[in-house]
mmCIF file of all heavy atoms in Angstrom:
data_model
loop_
_atom_site.group_PDB
_atom_site.id
_atom_site.type_symbol
_atom_site.label_atom_id
_atom_site.label_comp_id
_atom_site.label_asym_id
_atom_site.label_seq_id
_atom_site.Cartn_x
_atom_site.Cartn_y
_atom_site.Cartn_z
ATOM 1 N N VAL A 13 -184.735 -115.900 -45.899
ATOM 2 C CA VAL A 13 -184.290 -117.055 -45.124
ATOM 3 C C VAL A 13 -183.001 -116.721 -44.381
ATOM 4 O O VAL A 13 -182.826 -117.054 -43.216
ATOM 5 C CB VAL A 13 -184.079 -118.290 -46.031
ATOM 6 C CG1 VAL A 13 -183.514 -119.445 -45.246
ATOM 7 C CG2 VAL A 13 -185.383 -118.696 -46.684
ATOM 8 N N THR A 16 -175.572 -115.969 -46.818
ATOM 9 C CA THR A 16 -174.376 -116.799 -46.794
ATOM 10 C C THR A 16 -173.444 -116.268 -47.871
ATOM 11 O O THR A 16 -173.685 -115.205 -48.422
ATOM 12 C CB THR A 16 -174.714 -118.278 -47.015
ATOM 13 O OG1 THR A 16 -173.520 -119.034 -46.974
ATOM 14 C CG2 THR A 16 -175.402 -118.507 -48.342
ATOM 15 N N ARG A 17 -172.385 -117.013 -48.127
ATOM 16 C CA ARG A 17 -171.567 -116.628 -49.270
ATOM 17 C C ARG A 17 -171.325 -117.851 -50.133
ATOM 18 O O ARG A 17 -171.229 -118.969 -49.629
ATOM 19 C CB ARG A 17 -170.253 -116.014 -48.829
ATOM 20 C CG ARG A 17 -169.288 -116.971 -48.215
ATOM 21 C CD ARG A 17 -167.896 -116.462 -48.423
ATOM 22 N NE ARG A 17 -167.137 -116.404 -47.184
ATOM 23 C CZ ARG A 17 -165.903 -115.899 -47.121
ATOM 24 N NH1 ARG A 17 -165.318 -115.421 -48.175
ATOM 25 N NH2 ARG A 17 -165.248 -115.889 -45.992
ATOM 26 N N PHE A 19 -169.273 -119.213 -54.001
ATOM 27 C CA PHE A 19 -168.156 -118.905 -54.885
ATOM 28 C C PHE A 19 -168.629 -118.787 -56.324
ATOM 29 O O PHE A 19 -169.483 -119.555 -56.773
ATOM 30 C CB PHE A 19 -167.088 -119.999 -54.784
ATOM 31 C CG PHE A 19 -166.435 -120.054 -53.438
ATOM 32 C CD1 PHE A 19 -166.812 -120.998 -52.506
ATOM 33 C CD2 PHE A 19 -165.447 -119.147 -53.108
ATOM 34 C CE1 PHE A 19 -166.209 -121.038 -51.262
ATOM 35 C CE2 PHE A 19 -164.828 -119.182 -51.870
ATOM 36 C CZ PHE A 19 -165.214 -120.137 -50.944
ATOM 37 N N ASN A 22 -165.076 -117.941 -61.292
ATOM 38 C CA ASN A 22 -163.648 -117.623 -61.283
ATOM 39 C C ASN A 22 -163.031 -117.748 -59.896
ATOM 40 O O ASN A 22 -161.868 -117.441 -59.699
ATOM 41 C CB ASN A 22 -163.394 -116.243 -61.886
ATOM 42 C CG ASN A 22 -163.975 -115.113 -61.054
ATOM 43 O OD1 ASN A 22 -164.343 -115.314 -59.892
ATOM 44 N ND2 ASN A 22 -164.072 -113.951 -61.631
ATOM 45 N N LYS A 32 -186.937 -117.489 -49.751
ATOM 46 C CA LYS A 32 -187.940 -118.491 -50.107
ATOM 47 C C LYS A 32 -189.028 -117.764 -50.853
ATOM 48 O O LYS A 32 -189.677 -116.871 -50.328
ATOM 49 C CB LYS A 32 -188.497 -119.159 -48.858
ATOM 50 C CG LYS A 32 -189.543 -120.193 -49.193
ATOM 51 C CD LYS A 32 -189.664 -121.236 -48.114
ATOM 52 C CE LYS A 32 -190.901 -122.081 -48.253
ATOM 53 N NZ LYS A 32 -191.178 -122.603 -49.582
ATOM 54 N N LEU A 188 -186.417 -121.563 -54.007
ATOM 55 C CA LEU A 188 -185.490 -120.587 -53.470
ATOM 56 C C LEU A 188 -184.952 -119.670 -54.555
ATOM 57 O O LEU A 188 -184.723 -120.096 -55.689
ATOM 58 C CB LEU A 188 -184.304 -121.265 -52.778
ATOM 59 C CG LEU A 188 -184.609 -122.135 -51.563
ATOM 60 C CD1 LEU A 188 -183.331 -122.721 -51.032
ATOM 61 C CD2 LEU A 188 -185.324 -121.353 -50.494
ATOM 62 N N MET B 1 -190.427 -124.824 -41.075
ATOM 63 C CA MET B 1 -189.315 -124.640 -42.037
ATOM 64 C C MET B 1 -188.035 -124.313 -41.260
ATOM 65 O O MET B 1 -187.996 -123.389 -40.464
ATOM 66 C CB MET B 1 -189.666 -123.493 -42.970
ATOM 67 C CG MET B 1 -188.751 -123.407 -44.138
ATOM 68 S SD MET B 1 -189.258 -122.112 -45.256
ATOM 69 C CE MET B 1 -189.040 -120.647 -44.285
ATOM 70 N N LYS B 3 -184.580 -122.823 -41.212
ATOM 71 C CA LYS B 3 -183.803 -121.896 -42.046
ATOM 72 C C LYS B 3 -182.357 -122.342 -42.194
ATOM 73 O O LYS B 3 -181.782 -122.276 -43.273
ATOM 74 C CB LYS B 3 -183.853 -120.496 -41.437
ATOM 75 C CG LYS B 3 -185.224 -119.915 -41.476
ATOM 76 C CD LYS B 3 -185.164 -118.417 -41.227
ATOM 77 C CE LYS B 3 -186.533 -117.860 -40.961
ATOM 78 N NZ LYS B 3 -187.026 -118.115 -39.608
ATOM 79 N N GLN B 11 -175.511 -124.056 -49.630
ATOM 80 C CA GLN B 11 -174.038 -124.066 -49.614
ATOM 81 C C GLN B 11 -173.460 -125.385 -50.093
ATOM 82 O O GLN B 11 -172.346 -125.428 -50.606
ATOM 83 C CB GLN B 11 -173.552 -123.838 -48.183
ATOM 84 C CG GLN B 11 -173.809 -122.461 -47.653
ATOM 85 C CD GLN B 11 -173.448 -122.352 -46.186
ATOM 86 O OE1 GLN B 11 -173.432 -123.349 -45.475
ATOM 87 N NE2 GLN B 11 -173.158 -121.156 -45.730
ATOM 88 N N TYR B 14 -170.911 -126.265 -52.809
ATOM 89 C CA TYR B 14 -169.640 -125.543 -52.833
ATOM 90 C C TYR B 14 -168.595 -126.134 -51.884
ATOM 91 O O TYR B 14 -167.441 -125.752 -51.921
ATOM 92 C CB TYR B 14 -169.878 -124.072 -52.488
ATOM 93 C CG TYR B 14 -170.744 -123.381 -53.501
ATOM 94 C CD1 TYR B 14 -172.109 -123.260 -53.317
ATOM 95 C CD2 TYR B 14 -170.197 -122.891 -54.677
ATOM 96 C CE1 TYR B 14 -172.912 -122.655 -54.262
ATOM 97 C CE2 TYR B 14 -170.980 -122.280 -55.624
ATOM 98 C CZ TYR B 14 -172.341 -122.162 -55.410
ATOM 99 O OH TYR B 14 -173.121 -121.561 -56.356
ATOM 100 N N LEU B 56 -168.756 -123.132 -44.783
ATOM 101 C CA LEU B 56 -168.233 -122.599 -46.038
ATOM 102 C C LEU B 56 -167.466 -121.296 -45.808
ATOM 103 O O LEU B 56 -166.673 -120.861 -46.628
ATOM 104 C CB LEU B 56 -169.416 -122.342 -46.976
ATOM 105 C CG LEU B 56 -169.137 -122.221 -48.455
ATOM 106 C CD1 LEU B 56 -168.517 -123.485 -48.985
ATOM 107 C CD2 LEU B 56 -170.401 -121.897 -49.199
ATOM 108 N N ASP B 57 -167.717 -120.674 -44.685
ATOM 109 C CA ASP B 57 -167.184 -119.366 -44.383
ATOM 110 C C ASP B 57 -165.780 -119.423 -43.773
ATOM 111 O O ASP B 57 -165.180 -118.409 -43.485
ATOM 112 C CB ASP B 57 -168.137 -118.705 -43.384
ATOM 113 C CG ASP B 57 -168.121 -117.201 -43.503
ATOM 114 O OD1 ASP B 57 -167.892 -116.733 -44.620
ATOM 115 O OD2 ASP B 57 -168.320 -116.529 -42.491
ATOM 116 N N ARG B 81 -160.311 -121.951 -55.957
ATOM 117 C CA ARG B 81 -158.995 -121.620 -56.502
ATOM 118 C C ARG B 81 -157.869 -122.370 -55.801
ATOM 119 O O ARG B 81 -156.757 -122.428 -56.308
ATOM 120 C CB ARG B 81 -158.750 -120.124 -56.354
ATOM 121 C CG ARG B 81 -159.529 -119.347 -57.360
ATOM 122 C CD ARG B 81 -158.718 -118.206 -57.844
ATOM 123 N NE ARG B 81 -159.595 -117.166 -58.339
ATOM 124 C CZ ARG B 81 -159.285 -115.888 -58.330
ATOM 125 N NH1 ARG B 81 -158.148 -115.505 -57.802
ATOM 126 N NH2 ARG B 81 -160.099 -115.007 -58.818
#
Side-chain angles (χ1 to χ4, degrees):
Chain A
V13 175
T16 180
R17 70 153 128 185
F19 294 100
N22 66 14
K32 180 155 166 47
L188 298 179
Chain B
M1 192 177 65
K3 294 196 193 78
Q11 291 173 336
Y14 297 95
L56 199 60
D57 208 31
R81 285 218 204 152

